[in-house]
């Protein structure tokens, strides 16, 4: 049994792949804590995500095992599912909730310092006291869960600045960091980052569905594409420029809230279709796999513009089984195995595909590509992050 439990949550509007990024930050904090004492990270159940809009599907209190391979996570840090935490800790109580926020006065330019201080809550608190003096909150949809204490902390700095607070300022056995996205990476792109990232292996049942689709629809197999998968991520080391990838172009075309903001770096469908056709010609590829969150109207337009488009379209039963998160993973898995990938500017959905391709040993030229906006002047391409082992 662990001596202490670290829990966390993220600002509700944030999407699945940004949340995967926050997991990496918190895992790094956990590694720092482990140098001192026995801790375990409680995996925050998935659910009620703004982007998961498929109707009539129960998408709350989803355990991590539905999306990720728990054994692989465990090889990096000790983790348990929330339900196991409830069973192990003997009740629906979290002793201390810290709500992380910025500093009301903002950042003073030129004087960056890492700091954390107890401060009055800036935003309205998303927790309310019940008649026993305990705190109700969202708690991933577990209505019976209560926080015994809720405190706001202003933070400025990387995840491990929380370590002294957790080790010295409180003796609580279970501590939740809410709004954990306010913590920065300890070292983005360093060994720790990559160890955690590599440990986030997709759940086998989703990989299998992606592999079947690759084989049946895209004539893509690991042997012919040189993308052999090993169950044990700790034994995998990328061989530069090794993977060939399946005979298709893969595209991630982020729409919805990315176009509502009228951002300059997101292309029109017309422009995206032109780019896709030009790449297919240049790369001599006849198939294009499109991952997108486009609405029905956009999809119809896309189909007219790109008649050769291939998509993973789950039946209702498949959707109910894999859920929106699982379908997103299947899309990412298929994109990760393509001969060439092009994504959407600053989308963490695209970034996670870059990393997956890096792990699979693709040449960076085939990975770090993005669409340009129709009127974008300086269309800078994504940065190549090399794995540190
Ligand atoms: C504007 C910001 O955008 C950020 O999104 P961004 O980094 O693209 O990426 P995500 O954090 O993953 O959020 C986008 C969500 O939209 C769905 N989605 C987007 N593209 C696809 C796709 O190709 N296939 C499938 N199946 N689903 C897709 C999916 O649920 C995904 O998790 C958000 O995290 C922030 O909260 C904020 O909304």
């Amino acid at each position: 049994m662990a001596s202490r439990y670290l829990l966390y949550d993220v600002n509700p509007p944030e999407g699945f792949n940004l949340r995967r990024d926050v997991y990496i930050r918190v895992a790094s904090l956990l590694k720092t804590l482990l140098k001192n004492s026995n801790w375990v990270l409680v995996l925050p159940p998935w659910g009620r995500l703004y982007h998961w809009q498929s109707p009539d599907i129960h998408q709350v209190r989803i355990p991590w095992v539905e999306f990720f391979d728990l054994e692989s996570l465990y090889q990096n840090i000790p983790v348990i599912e929330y339900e196991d935490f409830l069973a192990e800790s003997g009740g629906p109580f979290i002793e201390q909730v810290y709500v992380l926020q910025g500093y009301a006065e903002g950042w003073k330019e030129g004087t960056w310092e890492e700091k954390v201080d107890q401060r009055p809550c800036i935003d309205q608190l998303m927790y309310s006291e019940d008649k026993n003096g305990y705190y109700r909150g969202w708690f991933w949809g577990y209505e019976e869960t209560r926080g015994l204490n809720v405190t706001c902390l202003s933070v400025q700095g990387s995840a491990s600045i929380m370590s002294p607070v957790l080790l010295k300022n409180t003796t609580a056995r279970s501590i939740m960091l809410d709004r954990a996205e306010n913590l920065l990476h300890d070292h983005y792109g360093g060994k720790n980052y990559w160890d955690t990232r590599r440990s986030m292996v997709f759940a086998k049942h989703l990989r299998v569905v992606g592999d079947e689709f690759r084989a049946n629809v895209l004539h893509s197999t690991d042997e012919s594409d040189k993308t052999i998968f090993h169950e044990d991520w700790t034994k995998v080391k990328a061989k530069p420029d090794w993977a060939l990838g399946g005979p298709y172009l893969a595209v991630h075309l982020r729409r919805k809230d990315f176009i509502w903001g009228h951002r300059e770096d997101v292309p029109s469908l017309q422009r995206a279709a032109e780019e896709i056709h030009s790449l297919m010609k240049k790369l001599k590829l006849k198939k294009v796999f499109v991952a997108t969150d486009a609405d029905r109207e956009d999809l119809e337009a896309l189909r007219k513009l790109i008649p050769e488009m291939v998509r993973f379209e789950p039946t209702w039963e498949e959707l109910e089984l894999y859920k929106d998160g699982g379908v997103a993973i299947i899309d990412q898995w298929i994109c990760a195995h393509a001969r060439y990938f092009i994504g959407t500017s600053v989308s963490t959905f695209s970034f996670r595909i870059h990393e997956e391709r890096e792990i699979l040993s693709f040449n960076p030229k085939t990975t770090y590509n993005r669409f340009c906006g129709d009127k974008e002047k300086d269309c800078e391409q994504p940065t190549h992050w090399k794995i540190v082992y």
Side-chain angles (χ1 to χ4, degrees):
M1 197 152 131
S3 65
R4 299 178 82 185
Y5 300 95
L6 180 65
L7 303 97
Y8 75 96
D9 202 4
V10 176
N11 195 19
E14 303 299 353
F16 185 49
N17 290 289
L18 188 101
R19 284 162 190 268
R20 287 173 64 189
D21 188 74
V22 177
Y23 172 81
I24 299 179
R25 305 179 213 178
V26 180
S28 182
L29 165 61
L30 195 93
K31 285 181 188 177
T32 305
L33 292 171
L34 281 171
K35 288 181 191 152
N36 192 281
S37 50
N38 199 7
W39 288 76
V40 64
L41 183 65
V42 182
L43 299 165
W46 297 98
R48 207 179 64 168
L49 292 200
Y50 158 75
H51 303 93
W52 293 357
Q53 294 170 348
S54 294
D56 308 323
I57 293 178
H58 184 72
Q59 306 207 59
V60 78
R61 298 195 292 274
I62 305 171
W64 278 56
V65 71
E66 294 210 21
F67 298 145
F68 296 97
D69 182 63
L70 284 197
E71 269 303 305
S72 300
L73 294 179
Y74 206 82
Q75 276 181 279
N76 180 49
I77 49 164
V79 290
I80 54 169
E81 299 271 18
Y82 188 68
E83 301 246 346
D84 296 325
F85 160 74
L86 288 178
E88 230 184 81
S89 67
F93 296 108
I94 299 172
E95 286 182 38
Q96 173 70 56
V97 177
Y98 287 124
V99 181
L100 307 185
Q101 58 185 14
Y103 280 81
E105 64 270 29
W107 292 357
K108 284 197 206 98
E109 255 178 70
T111 54
W112 170 259
E113 52 168 333
E114 300 225 311
K115 52 184 182 175
V116 45
D117 294 288
Q118 189 170 332
R119 288 287 179 94
C121 304
I122 299 172
D123 296 327
Q124 198 198 342
L125 205 56
M126 303 302 275
Y127 295 86
S128 61
E129 234 175 306
D130 70 8
K131 59 181 185 320
N132 301 313
Y134 300 152
Y135 289 85
R136 289 168 186 275
W138 162 241
F139 295 124
W140 314 280
Y142 284 83
E143 285 168 21
E144 66 283 12
T145 293
R146 294 284 181 276
L148 301 191
N149 228 323
V150 178
T151 314
C152 287
L153 294 180
S154 287
V155 293
Q156 174 174 299
S158 55
S160 287
I161 58 163
M162 289 308 298
S163 161
V165 178
L166 304 189
L167 295 173
K168 292 189 196 126
N169 296 25
T170 172
T171 53
R173 281 196 63 206
S174 47
I175 305 173
M176 169 178 174
L177 305 180
D178 196 0
R179 302 291 308 266
E181 77 284 358
N182 282 306
L183 296 168
L184 306 175
H185 281 282
D186 279 333
H187 182 187
Y188 187 82
K191 174 172 167 23
N192 249 333
Y193 176 96
W194 276 107
D195 281 356
T196 302
R197 176 61 186 85
R198 286 158 63 222
S199 76
M200 299 179 84
V201 174
F202 292 137
K204 186 163 185 180
H205 66 280
L206 300 173
R207 284 186 270 124
V208 166
V209 176
D211 287 343
E212 277 172 3
F213 186 89
R214 285 170 53 212
N216 297 338
V217 182
L218 297 164
H219 305 294
S220 161
T221 63
D222 284 347
E223 286 70 29
S224 55
D225 303 350
K226 294 167 88 179
T227 50
I228 307 291
F229 177 81
H230 294 278
E231 282 298 332
D232 182 353
W233 63 269
T234 62
K235 303 222 161 63
V236 179
K237 195 161 180 192
K239 296 185 200 161
D241 200 8
W242 173 258
L244 175 65
Y248 58 99
L249 169 69
V251 166
H252 174 231
L253 204 52
R254 183 79 158 79
R255 305 297 291 169
K256 293 223 171 107
D257 41 328
F258 267 43
I259 39 171
W260 299 333
H262 298 291
R263 283 177 22 186
E264 230 212 352
D265 54 351
V266 177
S268 63
L269 292 182
Q270 179 76 39
R271 179 75 201 87
E274 281 165 20
E275 179 70 25
I276 287 169
H277 283 133
S278 131
L279 280 171
M280 287 171 79
K281 199 167 164 206
K282 186 171 128 197
L283 301 162
K284 299 190 175 63
L285 294 171
K286 291 196 175 63
K287 292 198 172 181
V288 52
F289 176 81
V290 177
T292 181
D293 60 338
D295 59 21
R296 197 186 310 193
E297 208 177 300
D298 269 2
L299 272 180
E300 274 167 26
L302 264 181
R303 199 156 294 284
K304 284 199 189 108
L305 289 164
I306 317 166
E308 58 276 70
M309 167 170 90
V310 172
R311 298 203 348 103
F312 177 75
E313 286 167 319
T315 60
W316 195 85
E317 285 75 20
E318 284 173 321
L319 186 58
E320 196 187 22
L321 203 58
Y322 312 137
K323 310 197 171 58
D324 282 319
V327 174
I329 286 174
I330 294 166
D331 268 350
Q332 289 183 317
W333 188 246
I334 299 169
C335 285
H337 287 79
R339 183 101 12 118
Y340 190 96
F341 172 72
I342 179 165
T344 301
S345 175
V346 303
S347 165
T348 56
F349 191 106
S350 291
F351 290 167
R352 300 289 91 82
I353 295 171
H354 297 162
E355 293 164 347
E356 210 65 43
R357 292 177 63 86
E358 195 69 22
I359 293 167
L360 285 166
S361 300
F362 276 97
N363 182 321
K365 286 200 188 87
T366 70
T367 293
Y368 297 88
N369 310 295
R370 70 149 173 110
F371 290 104
C372 302
D374 296 18
K375 293 191 188 127
E376 199 179 352
K377 287 192 193 77
D378 182 19
C379 179
E380 199 184 325
Q381 293 297 301
T383 311
H384 174 202
W385 291 95
K386 262 179 113 162
I387 303 182
V388 180
Y389 292 95

